[in-house]
mmCIF file of all heavy atoms in Angstrom:
data_model
loop_
_atom_site.group_PDB
_atom_site.id
_atom_site.type_symbol
_atom_site.label_atom_id
_atom_site.label_comp_id
_atom_site.label_asym_id
_atom_site.label_seq_id
_atom_site.Cartn_x
_atom_site.Cartn_y
_atom_site.Cartn_z
ATOM 1 N N TRP A 730 119.477 132.711 40.774
ATOM 2 C CA TRP A 730 119.253 132.613 42.211
ATOM 3 C C TRP A 730 117.813 132.184 42.471
ATOM 4 O O TRP A 730 116.889 132.736 41.885
ATOM 5 C CB TRP A 730 119.522 133.946 42.889
ATOM 6 C CG TRP A 730 120.968 134.317 42.923
ATOM 7 C CD1 TRP A 730 121.626 135.206 42.122
ATOM 8 C CD2 TRP A 730 121.960 133.801 43.823
ATOM 9 N NE1 TRP A 730 122.954 135.285 42.448
ATOM 10 C CE2 TRP A 730 123.190 134.426 43.490
ATOM 11 C CE3 TRP A 730 121.940 132.879 44.862
ATOM 12 C CZ2 TRP A 730 124.377 134.155 44.177
ATOM 13 C CZ3 TRP A 730 123.116 132.606 45.544
ATOM 14 C CH2 TRP A 730 124.312 133.236 45.201
ATOM 15 N N TYR A 731 117.649 131.215 43.366
ATOM 16 C CA TYR A 731 116.326 130.783 43.811
ATOM 17 C C TYR A 731 116.207 131.172 45.283
ATOM 18 O O TYR A 731 117.012 130.750 46.117
ATOM 19 C CB TYR A 731 116.170 129.269 43.664
ATOM 20 C CG TYR A 731 115.804 128.805 42.276
ATOM 21 C CD1 TYR A 731 116.515 129.258 41.147
ATOM 22 C CD2 TYR A 731 114.760 127.919 42.063
ATOM 23 C CE1 TYR A 731 116.186 128.830 39.876
ATOM 24 C CE2 TYR A 731 114.430 127.481 40.790
ATOM 25 C CZ TYR A 731 115.146 127.934 39.697
ATOM 26 O OH TYR A 731 114.823 127.509 38.432
ATOM 27 N N ILE A 732 115.189 131.972 45.594
ATOM 28 C CA ILE A 732 114.989 132.483 46.954
ATOM 29 C C ILE A 732 113.603 132.064 47.433
ATOM 30 O O ILE A 732 112.598 132.318 46.760
ATOM 31 C CB ILE A 732 115.105 134.019 46.990
ATOM 32 C CG1 ILE A 732 116.397 134.492 46.312
ATOM 33 C CG2 ILE A 732 115.040 134.518 48.432
ATOM 34 C CD1 ILE A 732 116.438 135.978 46.049
ATOM 35 N N LEU A 733 113.552 131.441 48.599
ATOM 36 C CA LEU A 733 112.277 131.042 49.195
ATOM 37 C C LEU A 733 111.814 132.060 50.219
ATOM 38 O O LEU A 733 112.625 132.660 50.926
ATOM 39 C CB LEU A 733 112.415 129.699 49.911
ATOM 40 C CG LEU A 733 112.435 128.415 49.100
ATOM 41 C CD1 LEU A 733 112.674 127.245 50.037
ATOM 42 C CD2 LEU A 733 111.135 128.221 48.330
ATOM 43 N N SER A 734 110.508 132.232 50.308
ATOM 44 C CA SER A 734 109.918 132.989 51.407
ATOM 45 C C SER A 734 108.761 132.163 51.954
ATOM 46 O O SER A 734 107.698 132.074 51.335
ATOM 47 C CB SER A 734 109.417 134.361 50.938
ATOM 48 O OG SER A 734 108.820 135.049 52.019
ATOM 49 N N ALA A 735 109.001 131.522 53.098
ATOM 50 C CA ALA A 735 108.007 130.612 53.657
ATOM 51 C C ALA A 735 106.714 131.335 54.006
ATOM 52 O O ALA A 735 105.622 130.847 53.723
ATOM 53 C CB ALA A 735 108.567 129.914 54.901
ATOM 54 N N VAL A 736 106.825 132.514 54.619
ATOM 55 C CA VAL A 736 105.629 133.223 55.061
ATOM 56 C C VAL A 736 104.775 133.678 53.882
ATOM 57 O O VAL A 736 103.543 133.743 53.981
ATOM 58 C CB VAL A 736 106.008 134.428 55.958
ATOM 59 C CG1 VAL A 736 106.681 135.539 55.165
ATOM 60 C CG2 VAL A 736 104.784 134.962 56.689
ATOM 61 N N ASN A 737 105.404 133.949 52.737
ATOM 62 C CA ASN A 737 104.672 134.352 51.549
ATOM 63 C C ASN A 737 104.276 133.178 50.664
ATOM 64 O O ASN A 737 103.570 133.369 49.665
ATOM 65 C CB ASN A 737 105.497 135.327 50.706
ATOM 66 C CG ASN A 737 105.946 136.548 51.472
ATOM 67 O OD1 ASN A 737 107.127 136.720 51.739
ATOM 68 N ND2 ASN A 737 105.008 137.412 51.834
ATOM 69 N N LYS A 738 104.752 131.960 51.006
ATOM 70 C CA LYS A 738 104.552 130.774 50.153
ATOM 71 C C LYS A 738 104.948 131.117 48.715
ATOM 72 O O LYS A 738 104.163 130.991 47.776
ATOM 73 C CB LYS A 738 103.101 130.315 50.215
ATOM 74 C CG LYS A 738 102.685 129.708 51.543
ATOM 75 C CD LYS A 738 103.392 128.367 51.784
ATOM 76 C CE LYS A 738 102.794 127.614 52.960
ATOM 77 N NZ LYS A 738 103.015 128.286 54.232
ATOM 78 N N LEU A 739 106.212 131.548 48.572
ATOM 79 C CA LEU A 739 106.658 132.089 47.296
ATOM 80 C C LEU A 739 108.084 131.644 46.989
ATOM 81 O O LEU A 739 108.937 131.590 47.875
ATOM 82 C CB LEU A 739 106.606 133.626 47.363
ATOM 83 C CG LEU A 739 106.728 134.402 46.059
ATOM 84 C CD1 LEU A 739 105.484 134.183 45.189
ATOM 85 C CD2 LEU A 739 106.894 135.891 46.346
ATOM 86 N N LEU A 740 108.318 131.329 45.713
ATOM 87 C CA LEU A 740 109.661 131.099 45.195
ATOM 88 C C LEU A 740 109.987 132.234 44.240
ATOM 89 O O LEU A 740 109.235 132.509 43.299
ATOM 90 C CB LEU A 740 109.733 129.765 44.450
ATOM 91 C CG LEU A 740 111.030 129.473 43.692
ATOM 92 C CD1 LEU A 740 112.221 129.390 44.642
ATOM 93 C CD2 LEU A 740 110.900 128.179 42.879
ATOM 94 N N VAL A 741 111.095 132.905 44.484
ATOM 95 C CA VAL A 741 111.525 134.046 43.675
ATOM 96 C C VAL A 741 112.779 133.658 42.910
ATOM 97 O O VAL A 741 113.702 133.073 43.484
ATOM 98 C CB VAL A 741 111.805 135.281 44.567
ATOM 99 C CG1 VAL A 741 112.380 136.427 43.746
ATOM 100 C CG2 VAL A 741 110.526 135.706 45.273
ATOM 101 N N VAL A 742 112.822 133.967 41.626
ATOM 102 C CA VAL A 742 113.992 133.677 40.799
ATOM 103 C C VAL A 742 114.609 135.004 40.357
ATOM 104 O O VAL A 742 113.897 135.914 39.912
ATOM 105 C CB VAL A 742 113.613 132.828 39.566
ATOM 106 C CG1 VAL A 742 114.840 132.574 38.687
ATOM 107 C CG2 VAL A 742 113.003 131.503 40.012
ATOM 108 N N ALA A 743 115.938 135.116 40.499
ATOM 109 C CA ALA A 743 116.647 136.344 40.122
ATOM 110 C C ALA A 743 117.859 135.977 39.270
ATOM 111 O O ALA A 743 118.385 134.855 39.342
ATOM 112 C CB ALA A 743 117.099 137.096 41.375
ATOM 113 N N ASN A 744 118.316 136.946 38.463
ATOM 114 C CA ASN A 744 119.510 136.701 37.655
ATOM 115 C C ASN A 744 120.771 136.968 38.474
ATOM 116 O O ASN A 744 120.698 137.246 39.675
ATOM 117 C CB ASN A 744 119.474 137.526 36.361
ATOM 118 C CG ASN A 744 119.519 139.029 36.608
ATOM 119 O OD1 ASN A 744 119.916 139.501 37.680
ATOM 120 N ND2 ASN A 744 119.111 139.801 35.621
ATOM 121 N N SER A 745 121.930 136.904 37.836
ATOM 122 C CA SER A 745 123.194 137.039 38.557
ATOM 123 C C SER A 745 123.379 138.426 39.154
ATOM 124 O O SER A 745 124.202 138.614 40.063
ATOM 125 C CB SER A 745 124.367 136.719 37.622
ATOM 126 O OG SER A 745 124.354 137.582 36.496
ATOM 127 N N ASN A 746 122.611 139.416 38.660
ATOM 128 C CA ASN A 746 122.673 140.779 39.203
ATOM 129 C C ASN A 746 121.564 141.048 40.216
ATOM 130 O O ASN A 746 121.314 142.203 40.563
ATOM 131 C CB ASN A 746 122.595 141.793 38.062
ATOM 132 C CG ASN A 746 123.803 141.721 37.149
ATOM 133 O OD1 ASN A 746 124.932 141.590 37.619
ATOM 134 N ND2 ASN A 746 123.573 141.794 35.842
ATOM 135 N N TRP A 747 120.881 139.995 40.646
ATOM 136 C CA TRP A 747 119.814 140.076 41.638
ATOM 137 C C TRP A 747 118.583 140.811 41.129
ATOM 138 O O TRP A 747 117.766 141.295 41.918
ATOM 139 C CB TRP A 747 120.314 140.696 42.947
ATOM 140 C CG TRP A 747 121.419 139.889 43.555
ATOM 141 C CD1 TRP A 747 122.763 140.146 43.465
ATOM 142 C CD2 TRP A 747 121.301 138.670 44.285
ATOM 143 N NE1 TRP A 747 123.487 139.169 44.104
ATOM 144 C CE2 TRP A 747 122.623 138.240 44.621
ATOM 145 C CE3 TRP A 747 120.222 137.900 44.706
ATOM 146 C CZ2 TRP A 747 122.874 137.090 45.351
ATOM 147 C CZ3 TRP A 747 120.476 136.753 45.437
ATOM 148 C CH2 TRP A 747 121.781 136.357 45.754
ATOM 149 N N GLN A 748 118.426 140.879 39.827
ATOM 150 C CA GLN A 748 117.196 141.413 39.240
ATOM 151 C C GLN A 748 116.161 140.290 39.177
ATOM 152 O O GLN A 748 116.458 139.191 38.698
ATOM 153 C CB GLN A 748 117.459 141.974 37.842
ATOM 154 C CG GLN A 748 118.382 143.176 37.835
ATOM 155 C CD GLN A 748 118.787 143.591 36.427
ATOM 156 O OE1 GLN A 748 118.930 142.759 35.533
ATOM 157 N NE2 GLN A 748 118.962 144.880 36.229
ATOM 158 N N ILE A 749 114.966 140.564 39.642
ATOM 159 C CA ILE A 749 113.924 139.542 39.698
ATOM 160 C C ILE A 749 113.425 139.234 38.288
ATOM 161 O O ILE A 749 113.036 140.139 37.541
ATOM 162 C CB ILE A 749 112.745 140.006 40.578
ATOM 163 C CG1 ILE A 749 113.253 140.485 41.943
ATOM 164 C CG2 ILE A 749 111.717 138.887 40.732
ATOM 165 C CD1 ILE A 749 114.074 139.471 42.692
ATOM 166 N N THR A 750 113.438 137.963 37.931
ATOM 167 C CA THR A 750 112.975 137.556 36.598
ATOM 168 C C THR A 750 111.643 136.815 36.639
ATOM 169 O O THR A 750 110.929 136.761 35.632
ATOM 170 C CB THR A 750 114.020 136.666 35.910
ATOM 171 O OG1 THR A 750 114.259 135.501 36.722
ATOM 172 C CG2 THR A 750 115.337 137.427 35.723
ATOM 173 N N ALA A 751 111.289 136.242 37.789
ATOM 174 C CA ALA A 751 110.018 135.512 37.887
ATOM 175 C C ALA A 751 109.706 135.221 39.351
ATOM 176 O O ALA A 751 110.607 135.190 40.201
ATOM 177 C CB ALA A 751 110.078 134.206 37.095
ATOM 178 N N THR A 752 108.439 135.008 39.640
ATOM 179 C CA THR A 752 108.003 134.535 40.958
ATOM 180 C C THR A 752 107.017 133.393 40.757
ATOM 181 O O THR A 752 106.295 133.354 39.753
ATOM 182 C CB THR A 752 107.326 135.643 41.784
ATOM 183 O OG1 THR A 752 106.156 136.102 41.091
ATOM 184 C CG2 THR A 752 108.272 136.808 42.022
ATOM 185 N N TYR A 753 106.987 132.478 41.711
ATOM 186 C CA TYR A 753 106.113 131.313 41.614
ATOM 187 C C TYR A 753 105.409 131.087 42.945
ATOM 188 O O TYR A 753 106.070 130.875 43.971
ATOM 189 C CB TYR A 753 106.920 130.070 41.224
ATOM 190 C CG TYR A 753 107.626 130.227 39.896
ATOM 191 C CD1 TYR A 753 108.937 130.705 39.847
ATOM 192 C CD2 TYR A 753 106.977 129.940 38.696
ATOM 193 C CE1 TYR A 753 109.583 130.882 38.633
ATOM 194 C CE2 TYR A 753 107.622 130.122 37.475
ATOM 195 C CZ TYR A 753 108.920 130.587 37.448
ATOM 196 O OH TYR A 753 109.559 130.777 36.249
ATOM 197 N N ALA A 754 104.081 131.170 42.911
ATOM 198 C CA ALA A 754 103.298 130.863 44.109
ATOM 199 C C ALA A 754 103.427 129.374 44.402
ATOM 200 O O ALA A 754 103.427 128.538 43.490
ATOM 201 C CB ALA A 754 101.836 131.231 43.881
ATOM 202 N N LEU A 755 103.565 129.027 45.675
ATOM 203 C CA LEU A 755 103.749 127.638 46.083
ATOM 204 C C LEU A 755 102.454 127.091 46.667
ATOM 205 O O LEU A 755 101.795 127.753 47.479
ATOM 206 C CB LEU A 755 104.875 127.539 47.115
ATOM 207 C CG LEU A 755 106.249 127.993 46.631
ATOM 208 C CD1 LEU A 755 107.251 127.943 47.787
ATOM 209 C CD2 LEU A 755 106.740 127.144 45.460
ATOM 210 N N ASP A 756 102.100 125.905 46.260
ATOM 211 C CA ASP A 756 100.900 125.233 46.732
ATOM 212 C C ASP A 756 101.030 124.961 48.234
ATOM 213 O O ASP A 756 101.908 124.194 48.660
ATOM 214 C CB ASP A 756 100.738 123.919 45.964
ATOM 215 C CG ASP A 756 99.450 123.175 46.317
ATOM 216 O OD1 ASP A 756 98.797 123.536 47.314
ATOM 217 O OD2 ASP A 756 99.113 122.219 45.594
ATOM 218 N N PRO A 757 100.192 125.561 49.069
ATOM 219 C CA PRO A 757 100.327 125.383 50.530
ATOM 220 C C PRO A 757 100.062 123.958 50.985
ATOM 221 O O PRO A 757 100.471 123.584 52.089
ATOM 222 C CB PRO A 757 99.291 126.357 51.101
ATOM 223 C CG PRO A 757 98.309 126.574 49.990
ATOM 224 C CD PRO A 757 99.098 126.482 48.715
ATOM 225 N N THR A 758 99.393 123.147 50.167
ATOM 226 C CA THR A 758 99.180 121.747 50.536
ATOM 227 C C THR A 758 100.425 120.905 50.284
ATOM 228 O O THR A 758 100.557 119.805 50.818
ATOM 229 C CB THR A 758 97.992 121.145 49.773
ATOM 230 O OG1 THR A 758 98.306 121.071 48.368
ATOM 231 C CG2 THR A 758 96.743 121.980 49.959
ATOM 232 N N VAL A 759 101.331 121.407 49.456
ATOM 233 C CA VAL A 759 102.588 120.714 49.165
ATOM 234 C C VAL A 759 103.732 121.298 49.995
ATOM 235 O O VAL A 759 104.534 120.572 50.577
ATOM 236 C CB VAL A 759 102.941 120.801 47.665
ATOM 237 C CG1 VAL A 759 104.294 120.160 47.369
ATOM 238 C CG2 VAL A 759 101.851 120.138 46.829
ATOM 239 N N PHE A 760 103.766 122.627 50.058
ATOM 240 C CA PHE A 760 104.832 123.346 50.776
ATOM 241 C C PHE A 760 104.259 123.930 52.060
ATOM 242 O O PHE A 760 103.845 125.079 52.098
ATOM 243 C CB PHE A 760 105.393 124.463 49.896
ATOM 244 C CG PHE A 760 105.960 123.988 48.585
ATOM 245 C CD1 PHE A 760 105.149 123.906 47.460
ATOM 246 C CD2 PHE A 760 107.288 123.624 48.463
ATOM 247 C CE1 PHE A 760 105.662 123.477 46.238
ATOM 248 C CE2 PHE A 760 107.804 123.193 47.252
ATOM 249 C CZ PHE A 760 106.987 123.117 46.136
ATOM 250 N N ARG A 761 104.233 123.116 53.115
ATOM 251 C CA ARG A 761 103.609 123.584 54.350
ATOM 252 C C ARG A 761 104.402 124.729 54.970
ATOM 253 O O ARG A 761 103.843 125.718 55.420
ATOM 254 C CB ARG A 761 103.477 122.423 55.340
ATOM 255 C CG ARG A 761 102.366 121.445 54.988
ATOM 256 C CD ARG A 761 102.015 120.577 56.183
ATOM 257 N NE ARG A 761 103.130 119.729 56.565
ATOM 258 C CZ ARG A 761 103.340 118.503 56.093
ATOM 259 N NH1 ARG A 761 102.501 117.997 55.202
ATOM 260 N NH2 ARG A 761 104.362 117.784 56.497
ATOM 261 N N GLN A 762 105.728 124.574 55.038
ATOM 262 C CA GLN A 762 106.587 125.649 55.551
ATOM 263 C C GLN A 762 107.978 125.477 54.945
ATOM 264 O O GLN A 762 108.870 124.905 55.560
ATOM 265 C CB GLN A 762 106.655 125.650 57.077
ATOM 266 C CG GLN A 762 107.349 126.899 57.623
ATOM 267 C CD GLN A 762 107.179 127.052 59.118
ATOM 268 O OE1 GLN A 762 106.260 126.509 59.708
ATOM 269 N NE2 GLN A 762 108.062 127.801 59.737
ATOM 270 N N PRO A 763 108.176 126.008 53.732
ATOM 271 C CA PRO A 763 109.449 125.808 53.034
ATOM 272 C C PRO A 763 110.580 126.620 53.648
ATOM 273 O O PRO A 763 110.611 127.837 53.553
ATOM 274 C CB PRO A 763 109.132 126.265 51.598
ATOM 275 C CG PRO A 763 107.999 127.232 51.746
ATOM 276 C CD PRO A 763 107.200 126.764 52.917
ATOM 277 N N GLU A 764 111.528 125.914 54.289
ATOM 278 C CA GLU A 764 112.589 126.576 55.051
ATOM 279 C C GLU A 764 113.989 126.322 54.502
ATOM 280 O O GLU A 764 114.948 126.951 54.950
ATOM 281 C CB GLU A 764 112.528 126.119 56.511
ATOM 282 C CG GLU A 764 111.265 126.542 57.258
ATOM 283 C CD GLU A 764 111.280 128.001 57.649
ATOM 284 O OE1 GLU A 764 112.342 128.641 57.545
ATOM 285 O OE2 GLU A 764 110.223 128.511 58.066
ATOM 286 N N GLY A 765 114.144 125.379 53.587
ATOM 287 C CA GLY A 765 115.463 125.073 53.055
ATOM 288 C C GLY A 765 115.414 124.789 51.565
ATOM 289 O O GLY A 765 114.408 124.289 51.057
ATOM 290 N N ILE A 766 116.507 125.116 50.865
ATOM 291 C CA ILE A 766 116.559 124.881 49.424
ATOM 292 C C ILE A 766 117.994 124.585 49.009
ATOM 293 O O ILE A 766 118.939 125.179 49.532
ATOM 294 C CB ILE A 766 115.998 126.094 48.645
ATOM 295 C CG1 ILE A 766 115.923 125.805 47.144
ATOM 296 C CG2 ILE A 766 116.819 127.349 48.900
ATOM 297 C CD1 ILE A 766 115.146 126.865 46.361
ATOM 298 N N THR A 767 118.155 123.640 48.081
ATOM 299 C CA THR A 767 119.468 123.354 47.519
ATOM 300 C C THR A 767 119.290 122.637 46.186
ATOM 301 O O THR A 767 118.184 122.200 45.837
ATOM 302 C CB THR A 767 120.322 122.504 48.489
ATOM 303 O OG1 THR A 767 121.680 122.516 48.051
ATOM 304 C CG2 THR A 767 119.834 121.070 48.566
ATOM 305 N N PHE A 768 120.380 122.530 45.439
ATOM 306 C CA PHE A 768 120.418 121.798 44.172
ATOM 307 C C PHE A 768 121.527 120.761 44.252
ATOM 308 O O PHE A 768 122.528 120.963 44.946
ATOM 309 C CB PHE A 768 120.731 122.744 43.004
ATOM 310 C CG PHE A 768 119.674 123.756 42.703
ATOM 311 C CD1 PHE A 768 119.666 124.985 43.351
ATOM 312 C CD2 PHE A 768 118.692 123.502 41.750
ATOM 313 C CE1 PHE A 768 118.704 125.938 43.068
ATOM 314 C CE2 PHE A 768 117.718 124.440 41.467
ATOM 315 C CZ PHE A 768 117.725 125.661 42.116
ATOM 316 N N ASP A 769 121.359 119.657 43.514
ATOM 317 C CA ASP A 769 122.499 118.772 43.330
ATOM 318 C C ASP A 769 123.214 119.167 42.041
ATOM 319 O O ASP A 769 122.781 120.074 41.322
ATOM 320 C CB ASP A 769 122.080 117.298 43.358
ATOM 321 C CG ASP A 769 121.161 116.883 42.203
ATOM 322 O OD1 ASP A 769 121.233 117.510 41.129
ATOM 323 O OD2 ASP A 769 120.394 115.920 42.373
ATOM 324 N N LYS A 770 124.323 118.504 41.737
ATOM 325 C CA LYS A 770 125.152 118.912 40.602
ATOM 326 C C LYS A 770 124.477 118.681 39.256
ATOM 327 O O LYS A 770 124.910 119.238 38.236
ATOM 328 C CB LYS A 770 126.494 118.191 40.643
ATOM 329 C CG LYS A 770 126.394 116.678 40.594
ATOM 330 C CD LYS A 770 127.760 116.050 40.801
ATOM 331 C CE LYS A 770 127.670 114.532 40.843
ATOM 332 N NZ LYS A 770 129.008 113.926 41.124
ATOM 333 N N ASN A 771 123.388 117.898 39.244
ATOM 334 C CA ASN A 771 122.644 117.655 38.010
ATOM 335 C C ASN A 771 121.494 118.636 37.815
ATOM 336 O O ASN A 771 120.728 118.510 36.859
ATOM 337 C CB ASN A 771 122.118 116.220 37.992
ATOM 338 C CG ASN A 771 123.240 115.205 37.973
ATOM 339 O OD1 ASN A 771 124.211 115.355 37.230
ATOM 340 N ND2 ASN A 771 123.115 114.167 38.790
ATOM 341 N N GLY A 772 121.371 119.572 38.730
ATOM 342 C CA GLY A 772 120.323 120.583 38.612
ATOM 343 C C GLY A 772 119.010 120.213 39.256
ATOM 344 O O GLY A 772 118.049 120.992 39.185
#
Side-chain angles (χ1 to χ4, degrees):
W730 289 102
Y731 278 49
I732 309 168
L733 282 176
S734 178
V736 70
N737 304 111
K738 290 292 191 294
L739 193 69
L740 172 63
V741 175
V742 178
N744 64 19
S745 58
N746 294 318
W747 300 99
Q748 295 172 327
I749 309 304
T750 59
T752 61
Y753 300 92
L755 299 176
D756 184 347
T758 66
V759 176
F760 301 90
R761 285 197 296 270
Q762 190 168 338
E764 295 284 348
I766 185 170
T767 194
F768 293 88
D769 65 27
K770 60 187 176 183
N771 296 316

